[in-house]
Amino acid sequence: MASSPSPITTCGSLSLHPVTFGRRMHQAAYDALGLPWLYVPFACESVGLKAALEGMRALSIRGFGVSMPFKIEILPLLDELAPLARTIGAVNTVVNDGGRLCGHNTDAEGAVQALEEEVGSLRDARVLVIGAGGAARAVAFGVHAAGAKLLLCNRTRDKAEALAAELKGAEVVAYEEALRKPPADIIVQATSAGMAGAASLPFDEAAFSERNVVMDIVYKPLHTELIQRAKAAGAKTIHGGRMLLFQAARQFELYTGKTAPLGVMDEVIREAAAG
Ligand code: ATR
């Protein structure tokens, strides 16, 4: 006897270790909209990634987030890539449309939205991105795709050079000099420095003024030492919770086709950052 389809739609995340924070944020959003949806963190080893994707298809899981190392390992296993995910070469979100898996990069979109919320369109704006790891890469590609003039620097200069070589018109600037006197009014701190327990980047005392907009991608704590210092100097600041919120909201919208309840999701971020 054929069983009737389950009324519950499932989404989730695929990572080496199950993460609960994203679950709380997405589940709170489903619940706020009264959707009979469930968000499940799935743990998986790299060796099982292909089988896990088959399982996702077989179980009609609507979508899932992925973290490192799967952001890159998953690329050849997907059926389709959204243009930005293809250009970046990294996927953090997969949408399952009737068994067809399409990869997106909402990290890049979230970074741009967080910046544009504060400064308006990034087209032709000069933006300094500090860092050249996976997170900085998503920010740099997003900012570049939004039409900004991109300046890059990194503690290890070679990595900034390699990233800049992939981004037409991007310029590499000296790291020490950028921390002394940032060469752009809009500055994005996209390294892991300043995360709970880790020292902040050694910016000069006089690095910031009222002219600056300073975004930190670190979200634990929300109000990093950098954010506090920039604010004290009169700069506008964007803490890492905004990028996190907008990237998750975009995931929600890709999965459900509905506008994300930003306030509800933001509340979860604040609680988690405080805890
Ligand atoms: P993520 O995925 O968080 O970006 P990653 O790929 O390991 O992590 O990259 C970490 C980034 O933070 C790099 O740009 C790293 O600089 P290096 O390439 O010189 O290692 C940067 N980073 C981490 N800690 C730092 C610190 N204390 N000072 C300056 N840069 C730091």
Side-chain angles (χ1 to χ4, degrees), residues 31-239:
D31 295 349
L33 267 64
L35 298 173
W37 286 46
L38 194 63
Y39 190 96
V40 184
F42 297 104
C44 170
E45 297 290 330
S46 291
V47 68
L49 184 58
K50 193 164 186 281
L53 297 190
E54 281 310 318
M56 299 275 182
R57 285 190 180 94
L59 297 169
S60 299
I61 288 168
R62 169 63 182 151
F64 49 96
V66 296
S67 50
M68 289 307 278
F70 302 147
K71 286 183 179 185
I72 295 166
E73 289 177 4
I74 204 167
L75 290 173
L77 303 174
L78 297 174
D79 301 307
E80 198 181 332
L81 292 172
L84 192 54
R86 179 184 299 281
T87 325
I88 298 172
V91 154
N92 79 319
T93 304
V94 178
V95 178
N96 178 3
D97 270 320
R100 202 173 157 72
L101 303 183
C102 180
H104 297 259
N105 193 307
T106 73
D107 291 330
E109 295 170 315
V112 170
Q113 212 177 331
L115 279 166
E116 291 193 332
E117 178 185 44
E118 188 60 52
V119 303
S121 170
L122 285 178
R123 183 149 298 281
D124 298 327
R126 273 169 75 85
V127 181
L128 170 69
V129 174
I130 305 169
R137 183 177 172 85
V139 174
F141 272 85
V143 164
H144 185 262
K149 162 73 188 163
L150 186 61
L151 306 177
L152 283 172
C153 71
N154 189 51
R155 180 177 61 181
T156 310
R157 185 177 173 115
D158 289 0
K159 293 193 206 164
E161 301 270 8
L163 181 54
E166 295 185 63
L167 295 158
K168 196 161 178 274
E171 200 181 308
V172 176
V173 296
Y175 173 75
E176 288 78 12
E177 179 61 14
L179 296 190
R180 197 181 65 74
K181 195 168 182 290
D185 291 345
I186 305 173
I187 301 156
V188 185
Q189 192 304 106
T191 79
S192 48
M195 262 163 63
S200 290
L201 292 186
F203 278 101
D204 194 83
E205 281 294 323
F208 309 119
S209 72
E210 295 84 359
R211 291 203 343 254
N212 294 117
V213 175
V214 178
M215 174 161 134
D216 196 343
I217 69 159
V218 170
Y219 59 86
K220 203 164 169 92
L222 273 187
H223 301 282
T224 56
E225 192 187 318
L226 169 62
I227 290 291
Q228 293 179 45
R229 281 191 48 193
K231 195 173 274 180
K236 290 186 183 140
T237 57
I238 306 165
H239 62 59

